[in-house]
């Protein structure tokens, strides 16, 4: 039977169309579930993730496993959703053609089969499921965990190809974009010099350069570290604490390379009344080691996770080259941090407008900052040096003599004091 309505003809409804509509309905539900999964998995809050970790069953552990591989999960979601949506489009087109004849009204047929069907797919297969899933992401993701554990295994070969191709594009495009953004920001900051926002400018510059620095550039050398041998008496420990004013003291045994841990002064407060026989060594906390080449942004993240404020820096031979604290890291962004107990200390004495006397162990990063020079000013000559003394040794290749002058660009470095193995003071003269 054919019913004519203007230029559109409606065909009779048979069992094949009925089965097709049921399949189409099932596909829409599947599309909605998968779209909702995408929203729920990636909308989980830190609190939800903690609940999943504490959930003592296989489903919670399986959800965490999926979240640890977000690229695999997202790949499975997109592949499954695309396959289902293609099936919906093809099936809906076939059912529409068998029920309605648009041959005499092709424009209406185009609008119906593209715009209306696409709208229905977006509404019931994307928008509504995602809105509902984001309201209850924890429950929704738990229900869909088993499904995506299976889909991850099925789509693993295709996912691998997609992820590798994406990583290649990211390396070629994303890295260049990041470099440009840092460069642009640095240039923008340089334009603010004449404006009255110097403090904000310095903080922003610190953030820009933060990820480039390694701990060896900001650490306190072992020679300048106040530490205690674990065989010292309790009286000596108290005296050292009083004299230093520090809240944490590194503890070693026989040599600084044999670190036993860190003594927190707050742990001693309850034992101050005890005599010299008190075993203060029982209060020592375990040490936290890091390599010299660790970037300070990674170290800050580790400090946050471990709730530790001091780390021991290890060189390539396994020796302890120094210590670095949370305060050292933060000062690279906000500048010098002082409290009411800190004395005003400078690494240098200003003789006149062009002459300074510097402590030879001053870090190059602090030296350049004190003299308002660019951090890249000495990059082509400093080599592996981290201090002013190290810079002179790097350039000369030997120990300089007292009063010996070494010129670097428009700066004269003159050795003022030294002992048999160490440069102590350096005169710095700017030449106009």
């Amino acid at each position: 039977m054919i019913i004519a309505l203007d230029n559109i003809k409606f065909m009779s409804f048979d069992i094949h169309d009925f089965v097709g509509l049921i399949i189409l309905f099932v596909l829409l539900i599947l599309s909605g579930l998968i779209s909702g999964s995408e929203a729920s998995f990636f909308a989980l809050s830190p609190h939800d993730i903690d609940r999943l970790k504490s959930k003592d069953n296989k489903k919670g552990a399986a959800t965490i496993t999926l979240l640890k591989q977000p690229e695999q999960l997202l790949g499975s979601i997109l592949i499954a959703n695309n396959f289902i949506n293609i099936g919906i489009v093809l099936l809906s087109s076939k059912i529409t053609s068998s029920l309605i004849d648009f041959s005499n009204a092709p424009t209406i047929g185009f609008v119906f089969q593209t715009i209306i069907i696409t709208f229905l797919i977006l509404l019931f297969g994307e928008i509504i499921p995602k809105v509902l899933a984001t309201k209850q992401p924890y429950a929704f993701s738990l229900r869909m965990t088993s499904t995506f554990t299976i889909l991850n295994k099925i789509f693993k070969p295709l996912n691998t190809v997609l992820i590798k191709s994406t990583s290649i594009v990211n390396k070629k495009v994303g890295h260049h974009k990041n470099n440009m953004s840092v460069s642009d920001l640095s240039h923008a900051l340089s334009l603010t010099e004449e404006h009255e926002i110097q403090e904000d400018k310095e903080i922003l510059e610190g953030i820009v350069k933060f990820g480039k620095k390694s701990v060896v550039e900001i650490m306190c050398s072992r020679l300048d570290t106040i530490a205690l041998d674990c065989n010292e008496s309790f009286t000596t420990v108290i005296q050292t604490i009083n004299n230093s004013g520090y809240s944490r003291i590194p503890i070693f045994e026989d040599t600084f390379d044999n670190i036993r841990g860190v003594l927190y002064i707050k742990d001693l407060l309850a034992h101050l009344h005890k005599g010299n026989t008190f075993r203060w060594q029982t209060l020592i906390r375990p040490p936290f080691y890091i390599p010299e080449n660790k970037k300070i942004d990674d170290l800050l993240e580790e400090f946050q996770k471990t709730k530790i404020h001091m780390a021991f820096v290890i060189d390539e031979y396994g020796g302890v080259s120094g210590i670095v604290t949370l305060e050292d890291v933060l000062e690279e962004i906000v500048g010098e941090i002082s409290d009411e107990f800190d004395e005003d200390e400078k690494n240098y004495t200003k003789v006149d407008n062009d002459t300074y006397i510097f402590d030879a162990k001053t870090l190059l990063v602090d030296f350049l900052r004190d003299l308002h020079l660019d951090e890249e000013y000495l990059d082509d000559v400093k080599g592996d040096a981290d201090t002013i003394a190290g810079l002179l040794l790097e350039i000369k290749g030997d120990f300089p003599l007292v009063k010996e002058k070494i010129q670097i660009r428009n700066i004269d470095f003159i050795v003022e004091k030294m002992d048999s193995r160490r440069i102590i003071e350096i005169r710095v003269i700017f030449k106009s």
Side-chain angles (χ1 to χ4, degrees), residues 315-348:
D315 63 24
E316 58 185 312
Y317 303 107
V320 180
S321 53
I323 64 169
V324 63
T325 65
L326 177 61
E327 184 175 319
D328 295 329
V329 176
L330 295 178
E331 283 180 347
E332 289 307 306
I333 297 178
V334 300
E336 191 71 24
I337 299 174
S338 302
D339 60 30
E340 65 271 27
F341 301 107
D342 285 344
E343 295 180 3
D344 243 354
E345 290 185 7
K346 284 188 175 182
N347 297 315
Y348 65 92

Side-chain angles (χ1 to χ4, degrees), residues 37-205:
S37 300
E38 180 184 358
S40 64
F41 278 117
F42 295 103
L44 288 170
S45 65
H47 174 67
D48 292 331
I49 293 172
D50 289 339
R51 286 175 65 193
L52 289 169
K53 289 179 180 177
S54 62
K55 195 173 179 64
D56 191 19
N57 61 32
K58 292 181 179 179
K59 190 166 283 189
T63 307
I64 293 296
T65 302
L66 289 175
L67 294 172
K68 286 180 179 178
Q69 297 178 312
E71 291 178 333
Q72 289 277 356
L73 177 60
L74 184 58
S76 297
I77 290 171
L78 295 177
I79 292 168
N81 215 7
N82 279 319
F83 278 146
I84 290 173
N85 286 343
I86 289 170
I88 291 172
V89 171
L90 294 175
L91 187 58
S92 61
S93 180
K94 184 179 182 302
I95 294 172
T96 301
S97 298
S98 66
L99 290 177
I100 307 172
D101 182 7
F102 290 107
S103 57
N104 293 326
T107 303
I108 297 175
F110 173 78
V111 170
F112 184 84
Q113 292 187 344
T114 55
I115 298 176
I116 294 177
I117 291 176
T118 301
F119 172 76
L120 292 175
I121 293 173
L122 287 174
L123 183 63
F124 295 104
E126 292 283 338
I127 298 170
I128 293 176
K130 285 184 176 180
V131 169
L132 295 175
T134 50
K135 290 183 178 180
Q136 293 291 333
Y138 179 80
F140 202 104
S141 58
L142 269 182
R143 291 193 183 97
M144 296 302 295
T145 291
S146 301
T147 302
F148 279 99
T149 301
I150 296 170
L151 288 178
N152 266 3
K153 294 177 181 178
I154 295 172
F155 295 135
K156 188 172 183 179
L158 188 54
N159 267 339
T160 303
V161 174
L162 290 173
I163 291 169
K164 285 185 177 179
S165 61
T166 304
S167 65
I168 291 171
V169 174
N170 283 340
K171 285 179 181 177
K172 291 185 176 181
V173 179
H175 181 67
H176 176 69
K177 181 179 178 182
N178 182 59
N179 285 344
M180 286 298 293
S181 62
V182 171
S183 174
D184 289 345
L185 182 53
S186 298
H187 178 65
L189 290 172
S190 68
L191 299 177
T192 66
E193 288 181 356
E194 296 182 1
H195 298 273
E196 296 179 357
I197 55 168
Q198 186 62 28
E199 289 185 7
D200 293 340
K201 176 178 175 286
E202 288 174 358
I203 291 175
L204 289 171
E205 285 178 339

Side-chain angles (χ1 to χ4, degrees), residues 228-237 240 252 276 280-281:
L228 283 166
D229 192 308
C230 64
N231 297 313
E232 296 285 1
S233 66
F234 187 47
T235 302
T236 304
V237 172
T240 303
F252 63 89
N276 215 27
W280 61 270
Q281 294 86 349

Side-chain angles (χ1 to χ4, degrees), residues 297-315:
D297 55 344
D298 295 330
L299 177 60
L300 178 59
E301 187 176 343
E302 288 193 34
F303 276 155
Q304 289 175 313
K305 287 179 180 177
T306 58
K307 295 180 173 62
I308 291 174
H309 287 200
M310 178 185 288
F312 294 91
V313 184
I314 305 299
D315 63 24

Side-chain angles (χ1 to χ4, degrees), residues 17 105 327 385 405:
D17 299 322
E327 184 175 319
K405 181 172 70 175

